[in-house]
Amino acid sequence: MILLFRIAATHVRNRMRQTVVSTLGVALGVGFSVAMAGLMEGSQRDFMSTLIEAIPHVEIQDEQRAPALQPASERFDAVAFHGLRPKEDLRGIRNPTEALASLRDWVNGSMTQRLSGQAVLRYSGQDIGLTLTGVVPRDELDVSKIEDDMRQGSLKDLEVTSNGLVLGRKAAQRLGADVGDTVTLTSANGVAKRFKIVGLFHTGITASDEGFAYAPLKAVQILLEKPDIINSISIRLSDIGEANDVASRAERQLGYKAVSWEEANEGLMEAFFVRNVIMYTVVGAILVVAGFGIFNIVSTIVHEKAKDIAILKSLGFPETDIQQIFVLEGLVIGVLGAIAGSVLGFGLSSYLATVKFELTTDVEVTRLPIYFSVLHYAIACLLALFSSAIAGLIPARKAARLNPVDIIRGAT
Amino acid sequence: MTAPAAAPIEHPLLETRDLTRILPAVVPVTLVKDVSLRIGHSEFVAITGPSGSGKSSLLYLLGLLDRPTGGEVWISGTETDRLSSGELAHIRLEKIGFVFQFHFLLPEFTALENVMIPMQRLGKLPSREQHEHAEGLLAGLGLEDFLNRRPEQLSGGQRQRVAVARALANSPDLILADEPTGSLDSVATEQVFESLQKIVETQQTTIIAVTHDMDLANRMERRVHLVDGQIDYDRKQ
């Protein structure tokens, strides 16, 4: 094999310019593949971590997966019922203190209770509709990252102000209100209550900044006329990998629908999968194009070295040896290209990681999220080598089948 | 007075029986027809004949580079017809050496490397011994000062002697030479011919050489003359 490699290396070395061009083709393919994979996975991971930070790992909602059994179904053993008016039930998780205590026994993480509802906020003659969420500030801080988005005041201020309100900054700007102002909130049932703005937040998501507000749980329960009722329990786990297990156990235990972050974002996961398939298809296509360069040079060498092939065959080199020589030539270019491409990919990724973007005035400078993984290099290099081997194999088979007698006759 | 016909050989190194090679074409071309030969060890055989008489074609069939369309080739008692291309290649590597009209050396390798290539492929000798053996062969042909020269840095005669050394690399039983002096001047022709003669005398190797040069053919011990692909005569000289 060393001898075959030496012969292959000699052939490749003698066509230096073409070898460099072909190697450059493979290197560009590998380099861009690595950089693209790093950017894709980086953006995916960045998005996922932002998502996981922003949403609860498990959320227990005040509804059941299947409609609750009606009293008639529980009492009578009938095949079907028709025309019965379903029993109206007040929505909400009752007795939340007991529910939370039962979860705290085994859930490894933090949890908070919430009651959300629609309300109209009035200030200086202007109204805006928003989703008002009643929270227990201390628990909420353990679960959500809202405190990081606070621009004025703090969520903790809700602990000391029983009618305190934390509002999105954009909503406050629309109303012309500021911290310290008193606003009126009116529930869907027509109950009105005055709240004092104690803090303003800015998440960068317009829907939240214009349409969400936080207030102490008790105050919201009074406003929405739902005493001792909540409509969700949010859990932040120490290990997000346990989310599905915790959700299914909590659902069995409490009877309410419990959704893990994975289930809640199932469509997103599929979208990422499809995106990765597209990315690797493009990467493959780039390397196939690079393979054409190798095919071209190896075919040229086979043509030029026909006499050498005849010599080697007359010396007793079998067809498999001849084939291996030319496959090795493709692989030599592939290996050189893969090495150069890995260096190029690393350089490109490192450069992209330093590029800064200023998207909005409110958000700090953003960098391109690049994820460095050995796997990206391994996949790109393996694809390059596979492509090179195939590109070398086609002319190599032709070389192996050359009839030495025809060549010798032609040369003499 | 005619020379005596070649005497029958009891254990031939090479034997052909009704060897025929026809090129398939609209009008098939017969290159070699019904050639039956028995060639023993340490023979120096000339194959002669006019242009197009099938001399080179016969040589390629004897060297297992080409497959016959009829008849058989036996080498050292082995019938070669049913052997795979890999097995035929191994016989060429181990038992046969080729010298062509043009040197056919690998241009990127030095004289020494060219001679070592068949040894490296066969892999019977350790690397150091391959080196020593190649040096010895080249020195034996008067090329000890040209070991590290590439073919382009050698004269025609020197190149052809390197090709002879390469043919001898694996100590084959048989060397097939196709017009080995055809492209050389008279001085180089003499040097190459003497080299071949010395090999037959000292190494008990059989050499079958195709040649147009009647002077050289007359100096070989046996001559097979072809006309239209058939043996016209086969006689000792």
Side-chain angles (χ1 to χ4, degrees):
Chain A
M1 185 57 97
I2 294 170
L3 175 63
L4 302 184
F5 181 78
R6 277 187 59 209
I7 296 172
T10 312
H11 287 172
V12 170
R13 206 169 44 230
N14 279 359
R15 295 201 67 84
M16 191 51 86
R17 191 185 296 176
Q18 272 182 292
T19 301
V20 168
V21 171
S22 297
T23 304
L24 213 59
V26 179
L28 286 174
V30 171
F32 282 112
S33 303
V34 165
M36 202 161 81
L39 186 60
M40 287 286 198
E41 188 163 349
S43 65
Q44 181 177 331
R45 281 174 178 264
D46 185 59
F47 187 84
M48 292 303 292
S49 67
T50 308
L51 184 76
I52 290 164
E53 288 295 315
I55 60 167
H57 298 163
V58 176
E59 184 164 40
I60 300 165
Q61 299 159 354
D62 60 340
E63 57 184 285
Q64 275 90 27
R65 270 188 203 273
L69 279 179
Q70 293 297 317
S73 306
E74 286 175 350
R75 184 156 180 190
F76 301 106
D77 191 16
V79 174
F81 293 97
H82 291 287
L84 287 179
R85 210 177 97 190
K87 183 188 160 193
E88 288 293 335
D89 207 358
L90 190 65
R91 276 190 69 169
I93 300 170
R94 288 179 187 78
N95 207 352
T97 312
E98 193 185 321
L100 282 166
S102 70
L103 290 172
R104 283 199 173 101
D105 283 346
W106 59 272
V107 173
N108 186 17
S110 314
M111 58 192 77
T112 188
Q113 51 187 319
R114 290 178 185 150
L115 174 65
S116 296
Q118 297 303 310
V120 174
L121 191 151
R122 169 168 287 188
Y123 181 72
S124 67
Q126 294 185 82
D127 294 338
I128 57 167
L130 49 73
T131 301
L132 179 65
T133 303
V135 295
V136 177
R138 193 175 301 156
D139 292 347
E140 189 66 24
L141 290 173
D142 290 340
V143 173
S144 85
K145 296 288 173 188
I146 186 67
E147 192 65 18
D148 297 344
D149 296 325
M150 293 302 294
R151 294 291 182 267
Q152 277 181 273
S154 164
L155 199 73
K156 285 177 198 160
D157 295 338
L158 295 178
E159 280 183 350
V160 290
T161 313
S162 61
N163 63 337
L165 185 73
V166 169
L167 188 62
R169 194 165 69 181
K170 281 195 175 171
Q173 282 168 349
R174 270 181 64 186
L175 294 170
D178 209 342
V179 172
D181 292 339
T182 300
V183 297
T184 303
L185 278 165
T186 307
S187 74
N189 298 335
V191 178
K193 192 169 163 53
R194 290 169 75 78
F195 286 81
K196 184 182 176 188
I197 300 173
V198 294
L200 298 176
F201 63 82
H202 179 86
T203 61
I205 302 165
T206 306
S208 296
D209 296 338
E210 286 189 346
F212 277 92
Y214 297 90
L217 181 62
K218 290 287 177 199
V220 175
Q221 282 174 333
I222 291 166
L223 183 73
L224 300 180
E225 295 180 299
K226 289 184 175 177
D228 206 27
I229 287 178
I230 58 168
N231 53 17
S232 71
I233 296 171
S234 295
I235 302 173
R236 185 166 194 82
L237 296 167
S238 305
D239 176 9
I240 61 164
E242 292 176 353
N244 279 333
D245 294 339
V246 169
S248 56
R249 185 172 166 186
E251 187 166 323
R252 280 198 308 275
Q253 185 176 317
L254 301 177
Y256 292 105
K257 182 180 175 182
V259 180
S260 69
W261 69 272
E262 283 164 296
E263 186 187 343
N265 296 285
E266 211 167 23
L268 200 63
M269 300 293 171
E270 282 171 14
F272 278 131
F273 177 76
V274 171
R275 198 177 73 146
N276 287 340
V277 168
I278 293 169
M279 178 190 76
Y280 281 109
T281 307
V282 173
V283 166
I286 292 171
L287 291 169
V288 166
V289 172
F292 277 107
I294 297 174
F295 172 81
N296 185 38
I297 183 173
V298 178
S299 295
T300 309
I301 294 173
V302 167
H303 182 70
E304 282 183 353
K305 293 291 174 186
K307 204 172 80 179
D308 289 13
I309 294 166
I311 297 169
L312 292 171
K313 280 191 161 184
S314 72
L315 290 178
F317 281 63
E319 287 182 4
T320 48
D321 279 8
I322 306 296
Q323 194 165 308
Q324 278 177 37
I325 287 170
F326 291 98
V327 170
L328 278 172
E329 287 174 17
L331 280 174
V332 165
I333 297 170
V335 168
L336 292 174
I339 293 168
S342 297
V343 174
L344 177 71
F346 183 77
L348 205 56
S349 303
S350 303
Y351 171 73
L352 288 174
T354 63
V355 175
K356 297 172 186 171
F357 293 95
E358 251 176 79
L359 295 176
T360 67
T361 50
D362 297 318
V363 181
E364 63 271 26
V365 173
T366 307
R367 289 179 194 281
L368 279 178
I370 303 285
Y371 182 72
F372 290 88
S373 166
V374 175
L375 192 66
H376 297 156
Y377 292 83
I379 290 173
C381 289
L382 281 175
L383 279 173
L385 292 183
F386 180 72
S387 168
S388 312
I390 298 294
L393 183 64
I394 299 165
R397 285 165 64 92
K398 187 183 161 200
R401 285 198 296 263
L402 285 177
N403 184 356
V405 173
D406 292 343
I407 299 162
I408 293 164
R409 279 186 193 283
T412 53
Chain B
M1 189 179 142
T2 21
I9 297 159
E10 210 166 309
H11 299 291
L13 168 67
L14 178 71
E15 184 180 1
T16 65
R17 296 174 189 167
D18 302 324
L19 196 62
T20 300
R21 176 72 168 103
I22 299 170
L23 273 186
V26 181
V27 181
V29 181
T30 303
L31 300 175
V32 175
K33 192 178 177 193
D34 298 331
V35 170
S36 296
L37 276 173
R38 287 165 74 90
I39 296 170
H41 293 269
S42 306
E43 282 202 73
F44 197 4
V45 183
I47 298 179
T48 56
S51 282
S53 60
K55 305 182 295 293
S56 295
S57 300
L58 176 62
L59 202 76
Y60 301 143
L61 289 169
L62 299 181
L64 312 177
L65 274 180
D66 199 8
R67 296 255 194 183
T69 44
E72 298 164 1
V73 178
W74 294 67
I75 291 180
S76 301
T78 305
E79 192 194 347
T80 59
D81 290 12
R82 290 181 194 140
L83 298 180
S84 68
S85 66
E87 288 167 324
L88 293 178
H90 191 75
I91 292 177
R92 280 201 299 274
L93 182 66
E94 204 171 21
K95 294 184 185 296
I96 304 171
F98 278 98
V99 180
F100 297 101
Q101 181 177 358
F102 296 102
H103 58 85
F104 275 3
L105 299 173
L106 294 179
E108 297 90 356
F109 293 86
T110 63
L112 188 69
E113 287 169 334
N114 265 289
V115 178
M116 285 176 69
I117 282 172
M119 290 187 261
Q120 288 173 334
R121 180 61 191 85
L122 188 62
K124 273 191 175 170
L125 293 176
S127 172
R128 178 175 290 191
E129 284 181 40
Q130 287 175 8
H131 200 274
E132 286 169 1
H133 184 48
E135 272 184 358
L137 287 170
L138 287 165
L141 293 163
L143 294 167
E144 59 273 23
D145 297 330
F146 305 97
L147 302 181
N148 295 315
R149 295 232 183 137
R150 292 190 176 192
E152 67 196 17
Q153 298 166 316
L154 298 171
S155 69
Q158 288 167 335
R159 288 177 200 165
Q160 202 63 327
R161 278 183 283 155
V162 175
V164 172
R166 184 181 64 185
L168 286 168
N170 286 332
S171 308
D173 298 326
L174 176 66
I175 289 181
L176 300 171
D178 189 5
E179 303 273 9
T181 58
S183 60
L184 303 179
D185 59 32
S186 57
V187 177
T189 296
E190 196 53 35
Q191 285 174 338
V192 171
F193 184 77
E194 279 174 10
S195 303
L196 295 174
Q197 205 163 30
K198 196 170 143 195
I199 290 161
V200 176
E201 285 163 9
T202 59
Q203 301 187 25
Q204 280 77 52
T205 302
T206 295
I207 295 181
I208 302 172
V210 167
T211 183
H212 271 111
D213 188 331
M214 286 306 141
D215 286 343
L216 291 183
N218 289 333
R219 288 162 67 186
M220 297 185 206
E221 63 187 59
R222 181 175 166 188
R223 183 164 158 191
V224 177
H225 190 76
L226 296 182
V227 174
D228 295 334
Q230 289 180 295
I231 296 178
D232 183 37
Y233 58 82
D234 174 5
R235 66 189 179 210
K236 286 273 187 187
Q237 304 185 113

Short mmCIF file of all heavy atoms in Angstrom, two decimals, chain B residues 62-89:
data_model
loop_
_atom_site.label_atom_id
_atom_site.label_comp_id
_atom_site.label_asym_id
_atom_site.label_seq_id
_atom_site.Cartn_x
_atom_site.Cartn_y
_atom_site.Cartn_z
N LEU B 62 2.64 -14.72 -24.82
CA LEU B 62 3.56 -15.51 -23.99
C LEU B 62 3.73 -14.85 -22.61
O LEU B 62 3.89 -15.54 -21.61
CB LEU B 62 4.93 -15.63 -24.66
CG LEU B 62 4.98 -16.32 -26.02
CD1 LEU B 62 6.42 -16.39 -26.55
CD2 LEU B 62 4.39 -17.73 -25.96
N GLY B 63 3.68 -13.50 -22.60
CA GLY B 63 3.86 -12.77 -21.33
C GLY B 63 2.57 -12.60 -20.56
O GLY B 63 2.54 -11.89 -19.54
N LEU B 64 1.48 -13.18 -21.03
CA LEU B 64 0.19 -13.15 -20.35
C LEU B 64 -0.38 -11.73 -20.26
O LEU B 64 -1.21 -11.44 -19.41
CB LEU B 64 0.26 -13.77 -18.94
CG LEU B 64 0.95 -15.13 -18.83
CD1 LEU B 64 1.01 -15.58 -17.37
CD2 LEU B 64 0.24 -16.17 -19.67
N LEU B 65 0.10 -10.87 -21.14
CA LEU B 65 -0.47 -9.52 -21.19
C LEU B 65 -1.73 -9.52 -22.03
O LEU B 65 -2.59 -8.68 -21.86
CB LEU B 65 0.53 -8.53 -21.81
CG LEU B 65 1.56 -7.90 -20.89
CD1 LEU B 65 2.46 -6.96 -21.69
CD2 LEU B 65 0.90 -7.12 -19.76
N ASP B 66 -1.82 -10.47 -22.93
CA ASP B 66 -2.98 -10.59 -23.80
C ASP B 66 -3.53 -12.00 -23.67
O ASP B 66 -2.79 -12.94 -23.32
CB ASP B 66 -2.56 -10.29 -25.25
CG ASP B 66 -3.73 -9.94 -26.13
OD1 ASP B 66 -4.86 -9.78 -25.59
OD2 ASP B 66 -3.54 -9.82 -27.36
N ARG B 67 -4.82 -12.15 -23.88
CA ARG B 67 -5.45 -13.48 -23.79
C ARG B 67 -5.64 -14.06 -25.21
O ARG B 67 -6.08 -13.34 -26.12
CB ARG B 67 -6.83 -13.35 -23.15
CG ARG B 67 -6.78 -12.86 -21.71
CD ARG B 67 -7.04 -14.01 -20.77
NE ARG B 67 -7.33 -13.55 -19.42
CZ ARG B 67 -7.53 -14.38 -18.42
NH1 ARG B 67 -7.48 -15.69 -18.62
NH2 ARG B 67 -7.79 -13.94 -17.23
N PRO B 68 -5.30 -15.35 -25.38
CA PRO B 68 -5.49 -15.93 -26.71
C PRO B 68 -6.97 -16.19 -27.01
O PRO B 68 -7.77 -16.32 -26.09
CB PRO B 68 -4.72 -17.25 -26.61
CG PRO B 68 -4.72 -17.60 -25.16
CD PRO B 68 -4.76 -16.30 -24.40
N THR B 69 -7.30 -16.23 -28.29
CA THR B 69 -8.67 -16.61 -28.65
C THR B 69 -8.75 -18.12 -28.87
O THR B 69 -9.83 -18.68 -28.94
CB THR B 69 -9.13 -15.87 -29.92
OG1 THR B 69 -8.08 -15.91 -30.88
CG2 THR B 69 -9.45 -14.42 -29.62
N GLY B 70 -7.59 -18.77 -28.96
CA GLY B 70 -7.56 -20.21 -29.09
C GLY B 70 -6.21 -20.75 -28.63
O GLY B 70 -5.23 -20.02 -28.59
N GLY B 71 -6.17 -22.02 -28.26
CA GLY B 71 -4.91 -22.64 -27.85
C GLY B 71 -4.59 -22.38 -26.38
O GLY B 71 -5.41 -21.79 -25.65
N GLU B 72 -3.41 -22.81 -25.98
CA GLU B 72 -3.05 -22.75 -24.56
C GLU B 72 -1.63 -22.21 -24.39
O GLU B 72 -0.78 -22.39 -25.25
CB GLU B 72 -3.10 -24.17 -23.96
CG GLU B 72 -4.48 -24.79 -24.01
CD GLU B 72 -4.42 -26.30 -23.78
OE1 GLU B 72 -3.31 -26.85 -23.56
OE2 GLU B 72 -5.48 -26.94 -23.84
N VAL B 73 -1.43 -21.58 -23.21
CA VAL B 73 -0.08 -21.17 -22.81
C VAL B 73 0.19 -21.82 -21.46
O VAL B 73 -0.61 -21.69 -20.53
CB VAL B 73 0.03 -19.63 -22.65
CG1 VAL B 73 1.44 -19.24 -22.19
CG2 VAL B 73 -0.31 -18.91 -23.95
N TRP B 74 1.29 -22.56 -21.40
CA TRP B 74 1.70 -23.21 -20.15
C TRP B 74 3.01 -22.56 -19.68
O TRP B 74 3.94 -22.43 -20.45
CB TRP B 74 1.92 -24.71 -20.35
CG TRP B 74 0.65 -25.48 -20.67
CD1 TRP B 74 -0.09 -25.39 -21.80
CD2 TRP B 74 0.03 -26.45 -19.82
NE1 TRP B 74 -1.18 -26.24 -21.72
CE2 TRP B 74 -1.12 -26.91 -20.53
CE3 TRP B 74 0.32 -26.99 -18.57
CZ2 TRP B 74 -1.99 -27.88 -20.00
CZ3 TRP B 74 -0.54 -27.96 -18.06
CH2 TRP B 74 -1.69 -28.39 -18.76
N ILE B 75 3.05 -22.19 -18.41
CA ILE B 75 4.29 -21.66 -17.86
C ILE B 75 4.66 -22.48 -16.63
O ILE B 75 3.85 -22.63 -15.71
CB ILE B 75 4.15 -20.16 -17.49
CG1 ILE B 75 4.00 -19.35 -18.79
CG2 ILE B 75 5.35 -19.66 -16.70
CD1 ILE B 75 3.84 -17.88 -18.60
N SER B 76 5.85 -23.03 -16.66
CA SER B 76 6.33 -23.91 -15.57
C SER B 76 5.29 -24.97 -15.21
O SER B 76 5.01 -25.22 -14.03
CB SER B 76 6.67 -23.09 -14.33
OG SER B 76 7.65 -22.14 -14.62
N GLY B 77 4.65 -25.53 -16.22
CA GLY B 77 3.70 -26.61 -16.00
C GLY B 77 2.32 -26.16 -15.59
O GLY B 77 1.44 -26.97 -15.29
N THR B 78 2.09 -24.85 -15.57
CA THR B 78 0.77 -24.34 -15.18
C THR B 78 0.03 -23.84 -16.41
O THR B 78 0.56 -23.01 -17.16
CB THR B 78 0.92 -23.16 -14.19
OG1 THR B 78 1.70 -23.61 -13.09
CG2 THR B 78 -0.44 -22.67 -13.70
N GLU B 79 -1.18 -24.37 -16.60
CA GLU B 79 -1.98 -23.88 -17.71
C GLU B 79 -2.58 -22.53 -17.30
O GLU B 79 -3.17 -22.41 -16.22
CB GLU B 79 -3.10 -24.87 -18.04
CG GLU B 79 -3.76 -24.54 -19.35
CD GLU B 79 -5.07 -25.27 -19.56
OE1 GLU B 79 -5.34 -26.22 -18.81
OE2 GLU B 79 -5.81 -24.86 -20.46
N THR B 80 -2.41 -21.53 -18.13
CA THR B 80 -2.77 -20.17 -17.71
C THR B 80 -4.15 -19.72 -18.18
O THR B 80 -4.64 -18.68 -17.75
CB THR B 80 -1.73 -19.17 -18.24
OG1 THR B 80 -1.71 -19.27 -19.67
CG2 THR B 80 -0.36 -19.45 -17.69
N ASP B 81 -4.78 -20.52 -19.05
CA ASP B 81 -6.05 -20.09 -19.66
C ASP B 81 -7.14 -19.77 -18.65
O ASP B 81 -7.93 -18.85 -18.83
CB ASP B 81 -6.59 -21.18 -20.60
CG ASP B 81 -5.72 -21.29 -21.83
OD1 ASP B 81 -4.63 -20.70 -21.82
OD2 ASP B 81 -6.14 -21.95 -22.80
N ARG B 82 -7.20 -20.60 -17.60
CA ARG B 82 -8.32 -20.44 -16.68
C ARG B 82 -7.98 -19.57 -15.47
O ARG B 82 -8.77 -19.48 -14.55
CB ARG B 82 -8.78 -21.83 -16.21
CG ARG B 82 -9.46 -22.59 -17.34
CD ARG B 82 -9.95 -23.92 -16.91
NE ARG B 82 -10.29 -24.71 -18.10
CZ ARG B 82 -10.03 -25.99 -18.23
NH1 ARG B 82 -9.43 -26.65 -17.26
NH2 ARG B 82 -10.38 -26.63 -19.33
N LEU B 83 -6.81 -18.99 -15.47
CA LEU B 83 -6.42 -18.17 -14.31
C LEU B 83 -7.08 -16.79 -14.38
O LEU B 83 -7.34 -16.28 -15.47
CB LEU B 83 -4.90 -17.99 -14.26
CG LEU B 83 -4.09 -19.28 -14.10
CD1 LEU B 83 -2.59 -18.96 -14.07
CD2 LEU B 83 -4.47 -20.02 -12.83
N SER B 84 -7.35 -16.26 -13.23
CA SER B 84 -7.97 -14.92 -13.19
C SER B 84 -6.92 -13.87 -13.56
O SER B 84 -5.71 -14.17 -13.57
CB SER B 84 -8.49 -14.63 -11.77
OG SER B 84 -7.39 -14.51 -10.90
N SER B 85 -7.38 -12.64 -13.80
CA SER B 85 -6.43 -11.59 -14.18
C SER B 85 -5.46 -11.32 -13.03
O SER B 85 -4.29 -11.00 -13.26
CB SER B 85 -7.17 -10.31 -14.57
OG SER B 85 -7.84 -9.78 -13.46
N GLY B 86 -5.93 -11.47 -11.79
CA GLY B 86 -5.05 -11.28 -10.63
C GLY B 86 -3.97 -12.35 -10.56
O GLY B 86 -2.80 -12.05 -10.27
N GLU B 87 -4.35 -13.60 -10.88
CA GLU B 87 -3.37 -14.71 -10.85
C GLU B 87 -2.35 -14.55 -11.98
O GLU B 87 -1.15 -14.81 -11.79
CB GLU B 87 -4.10 -16.04 -10.95
CG GLU B 87 -4.86 -16.40 -9.68
CD GLU B 87 -5.84 -17.54 -9.87
OE1 GLU B 87 -6.46 -17.65 -10.94
OE2 GLU B 87 -6.01 -18.33 -8.91
N LEU B 88 -2.84 -14.10 -13.13
CA LEU B 88 -1.92 -13.87 -14.26
C LEU B 88 -0.93 -12.76 -13.91
O LEU B 88 0.27 -12.85 -14.21
CB LEU B 88 -2.70 -13.48 -15.52
CG LEU B 88 -3.60 -14.56 -16.13
CD1 LEU B 88 -4.33 -14.01 -17.34
CD2 LEU B 88 -2.79 -15.79 -16.54
N ALA B 89 -1.44 -11.71 -13.24
CA ALA B 89 -0.57 -10.60 -12.83
C ALA B 89 0.50 -11.12 -11.88
O ALA B 89 1.67 -10.70 -11.96
CB ALA B 89 -1.40 -9.51 -12.16
#
